Every structure is written in structure tokens, then in C-alpha cells.
């Protein structure tokens, strides 16, 4: 089996197959929600009834943290920074795969499920039948938690790791609450968005960021880093 074939097989099993399974499960859950009313409209109505100008402004900012143009631009910037900082593509590719994989699952499912948005005033413009799952929330998890995972992997200071993860988790939660508050999603929409984003981060991390080299690849990598002088000195 050629090396290229092995790579195709590896990524098909570690990325493509899990994403197809996640898309299937997401579609199934969406259909179940449509078939069995969850009574979530009461939560949306309660939040809409208590809206204030302050929270309208705060959640407008919170929702914008995961607007598509911002996520695309931030992902590109982060990928470039990671490449320059770490001198390799692994972290950059991981983040791109994490962000775009959740987007592909979201796009494949949302229009098929076609769940209407909550029966309250919507504070943001959006298509009427794309409520499940929340693409804003899944994108926020994929990007912010993905960046946090990369940074925490390279940071040795425990306090800084806590700060990085606090920000990485707080941002998606802020997006989730903002989308719920602004009448753009039901509670199950944002809950599944959180899960979808987390699954995509885990899948991409296992396949790319934390991929274990095979023994042959590891030996080849080590030998390529040896200097000719050091190599000759080790030869009997």
C-alpha cells in the first residue's frame, strides 16, 4: 500500500467517517425534535419578555463573536500565526479542519431539518427555517476552543492555561446565550451546537493535532534531523 493511499485511508477513518456519523445523528435528533415538541418556546418567550436595551447591546456583541465573516477571517489569521510561531502546519490545519468540519455538518443538516425559529421577535436577520442546530454556536466552539487547545498545548504555565481555557470556553457560552436571548434559536439548537462544535474539535485533534507517528515515521523523522557528523559518529 502506497504512502498516499495510507494517508487517504487514515483521514477517511479518523475525520470523514466520524463527521458522516455526526451528520447522521444530528439529522436524526433534529427530526425527533420536530416530531416530539419540547416546549422550549416558553424559555424563548420569557427571555424576550425581559429584554432590556443593555442586554440587547451586550448580546449583539456576543452574537457577533461568531458571525461568519469574523470566524473566517479569524481562522485565517490564527492559521498564519500558528504556522509562523510553531514552524509547521499541524496546528494550522487542525484549526481549519475543526472550523470547517462543523460548518459542513451544519450546512448539510440545517436546511433538511428546516426547524422554524422561536415564535418571538428576532433581533438578528436570518433565514426562517435554519434554527437547528445553531451554526453560530458550533462555529464558536470550533474556533475559540480550537485556539485554546493549541495554545494550552504549547503553554507550560498552569495559570496561563487556565486563562486560555477560560476565554476559550466563555466565548462560545456567550454566543450561545446571545443567540438564545435574541430569539434566534431554541435551547436545544444551541445545546446541539455546543456538542457539534466540541465533537469537531475532538475529531480534528485526534486525527491531526495529537496524531501519533507510526514507528517507521518516527525513525525517519529522527534520522532526518541528525547531522551528518552526528550520524557518522554513531556508526561503528
Amino acid at each position: 500500500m502506497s504512502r498516499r493511499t495510507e494517508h487517504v485511508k487514515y483521514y477517511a477513518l479518523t475525520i470523514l467517517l466520524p463527521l458522516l456519523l455526526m451528520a447522521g445523528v444530528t439529522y436524526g435528533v433534529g427530526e425527533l425534535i420536530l416530531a416530539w415538541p419540547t416546549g422550549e418556546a416558553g424559555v424563548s418567550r420569557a427571555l424576550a419578555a425581559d429584554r432590556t436595551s443593555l442586554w440587547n447591546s451586550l448580546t449583539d456583541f456576543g452574537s457577533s463573536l461568531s458571525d461568519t465573516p469574523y470566524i473566517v477571517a479569524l481562522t485565517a489569521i490564527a492559521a498564519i500565526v500558528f504556522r509562523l510561531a510553531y514552524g509547521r502546519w499541524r496546528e494550522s490545519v487542525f484549526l481549519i479542519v475543526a472550523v470547517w468540519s462543523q460548518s459542513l455538518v451544519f450546512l448539510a443538516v440545517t436546511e433538511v431539518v428546516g426547524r422554524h425559529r422561536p415564535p418571538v421577535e428576532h433581533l438578528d436577520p436570518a433565514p426562517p427555517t435554519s434554527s437547528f442546530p445553531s451554526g453560530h454556536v458550533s462555529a464558536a466552539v470550533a474556533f475559540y476552543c480550537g485556539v485554546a487547545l493549541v495554545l494550552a498545548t504549547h503553554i507550560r504555565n498552569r495559570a496561563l492555561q487556565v486563562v486560555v481555557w477560560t476565554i476559550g470556553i466563555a466565548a462560545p457560552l456567550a454566543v450561545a446565550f446571545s443567540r438564545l436571548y435574541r430569539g434566534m434559536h431554541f435551547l436545544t439548537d444551541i445545546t446541539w451546537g455546543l456538542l457539534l462544535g466540541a465533537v469537531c474539535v475532538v475529531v480534528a485533534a485526534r486525527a491531526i493535532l495529537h496524531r501519533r507517528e507510526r514507528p517507521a515515521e518516527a525513525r525517519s523523522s529522527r534520522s532526518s534531523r541528525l547531522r551528518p557528523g552526528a550520524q557518522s559518529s554513531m556508526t561503528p
Side-chain angles (χ1 to χ4, degrees):
M1 184 182 293
S2 68
R3 188 171 183 179
R4 177 176 295 180
T5 303
E6 289 180 352
H7 283 174
V8 171
K9 181 180 179 181
Y10 172 81
Y11 290 117
L13 292 175
T14 59
I15 296 179
L16 182 59
L17 181 58
L19 292 181
L20 288 174
L21 290 174
M22 188 60 184
V25 173
T26 301
Y27 170 75
V29 171
E31 290 298 315
L32 284 175
I33 290 174
L34 292 180
W36 299 90
T38 59
E40 301 167 85
V43 176
S44 299
R45 291 191 181 98
L47 287 172
D50 292 332
R51 286 172 180 167
T52 65
S53 58
L54 173 61
W55 279 104
N56 288 352
S57 298
L58 290 175
T59 55
D60 183 32
F61 172 75
S63 180
S64 70
L65 291 175
S66 193
D67 282 348
T68 298
Y70 295 157
I71 290 295
V72 171
L74 290 172
T75 300
I77 293 171
I80 294 172
V81 171
F82 289 159
R83 176 64 179 86
L84 295 175
Y86 305 127
R88 62 182 186 181
W89 285 106
R90 178 174 295 186
E91 289 80 4
S92 303
V93 173
F94 152 73
L95 184 63
I96 292 171
V97 170
V99 172
W100 283 102
S101 60
Q102 63 76 31
S103 179
L104 291 175
V105 173
F106 162 75
L107 291 173
V109 173
T110 184
E111 290 299 330
V112 178
V113 173
R115 187 185 195 186
H116 289 279
R117 295 187 183 273
V120 297
E121 180 186 359
H122 306 149
L123 299 185
D124 295 319
T129 57
S130 56
S131 189
F132 179 89
S134 172
H136 270 72
V137 174
S138 61
V141 174
F143 175 74
Y144 293 105
C145 290
V147 170
L149 181 58
V150 170
L151 295 178
T153 301
H154 291 275
I155 292 174
R156 294 291 176 261
N157 185 286
R158 185 58 60 87
L160 287 179
Q161 289 179 342
V162 171
V163 171
V164 165
W165 273 114
T166 299
I167 297 173
I169 294 174
L173 291 179
V175 172
F177 174 76
S178 297
R179 299 298 287 173
L180 184 64
Y181 174 93
R182 298 178 70 78
M184 305 311 297
H185 293 286
F186 291 99
L187 183 60
T188 48
D189 300 335
I190 64 170
T191 301
W192 199 262
L194 291 170
L195 179 61
L196 172 58
V199 168
C200 290
V201 169
V202 171
V203 168
R206 288 175 61 86
I208 300 170
L209 191 61
H210 297 151
R211 179 186 179 185
R212 293 183 178 180
E213 291 182 326
R214 296 174 305 163
E217 291 178 338
R219 287 195 299 270
S220 175
S221 178
R222 286 195 297 269
S223 63
S224 67
R225 291 195 296 266
L226 288 174
R227 294 174 301 171
Q231 224 174 0
S232 62
S233 65
M234 294 174 61
T235 306

